[in-house]
Amino acid sequence: MTNNNNKPTLKDTVYRQIIEMICNGQLQSNEIITEKQLTSHFGISKSPVREALIQLCHDHVLISIPRCGYQVVQINGKDVHDMTEIRLLLEVGSLPRILEKAAPEHIEHLKELNREREKPAREKDVWSSWYRNIEFHTYLLEIANNEYVLDTVRRILSSCTRAYAQLYSLQRETVVLPNDKTHAHPLITKAIEDQDLETAQSLLRADILRMESQLMSMKLL
């Protein structure tokens, strides 16, 4: 999605900002947006906006409604379950390679991510916990060094984030922060450091299922 110089194109920037607008509640699932509105909002030409919209439809973020515009796709419970199945296959399946590739600097970075996660959340910062979770899982796959697996899981986690955003905007007063100090990530890190594949697989599987449970508990139907 980037050019040969690894710099984001206008299309990439619009794509990312539309995702952010969905996640922060600026765009709701029942809202219709148009190419003209977005062109005006971003202050750029139609071409990169149109390209971003086409990509967002391809990635099942938006749906095109003829003669009307575009609507945010509402993620349902089956979507979350299907995405969890793919995550289990790809992430847990990548663990043998992760253990093979994990160097001391990788382990230290995982420990640093865990230390950051244990810092007290301020002002009910549910998003801080959410993004730290995603960062940990993404970095594990960076260690495995398979760009196709990494890209697939990133897209799935982006969809999970959109589902969380849609639900959080509806249930802002009922969301409960997880207890990060009892989280599985430090245990997963230790199992990887100890080259204990069986324990790492069991813990990672449970952690992925935990995210699914968190979404389902928010009454995603």
Side-chain angles (χ1 to χ4, degrees), residues 76-95:
N76 59 37
K78 184 180 184 302
D79 294 329
V80 172
H81 181 69
D82 290 349
M83 290 187 292
T84 299
E85 285 190 343
I86 298 174
R87 289 189 64 200
L88 290 170
L89 287 170
L90 295 181
E91 294 186 53
V92 177
S94 294
L95 272 172

Side-chain angles (χ1 to χ4, degrees), residues 48-204:
V49 171
R50 184 177 297 117
E51 290 175 3
L53 288 170
I54 291 172
Q55 185 66 45
L56 287 161
C57 288
H58 179 266
D59 293 342
H60 307 292
V61 176
L62 301 177
I63 183 171
S64 176
I65 302 177
R67 296 181 295 278
C68 290
Y70 298 84
Q71 189 174 40
V72 177
V73 173
Q74 177 70 53
I75 299 172
N76 59 37
K78 184 180 184 302
D79 294 329
V80 172
H81 181 69
D82 290 349
M83 290 187 292
T84 299
E85 285 190 343
I86 298 174
R87 289 189 64 200
L88 290 170
L89 287 170
L90 295 181
E91 294 186 53
V92 177
S94 294
L95 272 172
R97 186 173 176 85
I98 291 170
L99 268 65
E100 176 189 344
K101 295 285 186 180
E105 57 268 27
H106 295 132
I107 300 298
E108 182 53 39
H109 186 69
L110 288 171
K111 289 179 179 179
E112 178 59 31
L113 292 177
N114 294 335
R115 287 191 289 269
E116 285 295 317
R117 187 181 181 91
E118 290 174 359
K119 291 180 179 179
R122 297 186 304 170
E123 299 177 1
K124 297 183 178 180
D125 186 6
V126 295
W127 282 111
S128 175
S129 174
W130 183 266
Y131 282 120
R132 285 171 180 170
N133 187 33
I134 287 177
E135 188 176 10
F136 181 88
H137 285 269
T138 301
Y139 187 71
L140 285 179
L141 292 176
E142 288 179 8
I143 297 173
N145 195 29
N146 185 317
E147 289 298 323
Y148 292 98
V149 171
L150 179 59
D151 182 64
T152 300
V153 173
R154 275 178 173 160
R155 289 173 183 271
I156 291 171
L157 290 172
S158 176
S159 294
C160 289
T161 299
R162 289 189 290 110
Y164 189 80
Q166 291 167 359
L167 290 163
Y168 180 61
S169 65
L170 295 174
Q171 305 183 45
R172 189 178 301 271
E173 301 304 322
T174 62
V175 173
V176 178
L177 282 171
N179 184 351
D180 285 346
K181 291 186 178 181
T182 60
H183 202 271
H185 291 180
L187 299 176
I188 295 171
T189 301
K190 186 177 188 307
I192 293 172
E193 185 176 23
D194 294 343
Q195 293 288 297
D196 185 346
L197 178 60
E198 184 177 350
T199 298
Q201 289 175 326
S202 176
L203 289 168
L204 184 58

Side-chain angles (χ1 to χ4, degrees), residues 30-49:
N30 60 348
E31 184 176 354
I32 301 294
I33 56 174
T34 66
E35 181 181 301
K36 183 177 180 179
Q37 287 174 325
L38 292 170
T39 300
S40 176
H41 175 80
F42 292 116
I44 58 177
S45 64
K46 291 182 179 180
S47 180
V49 171

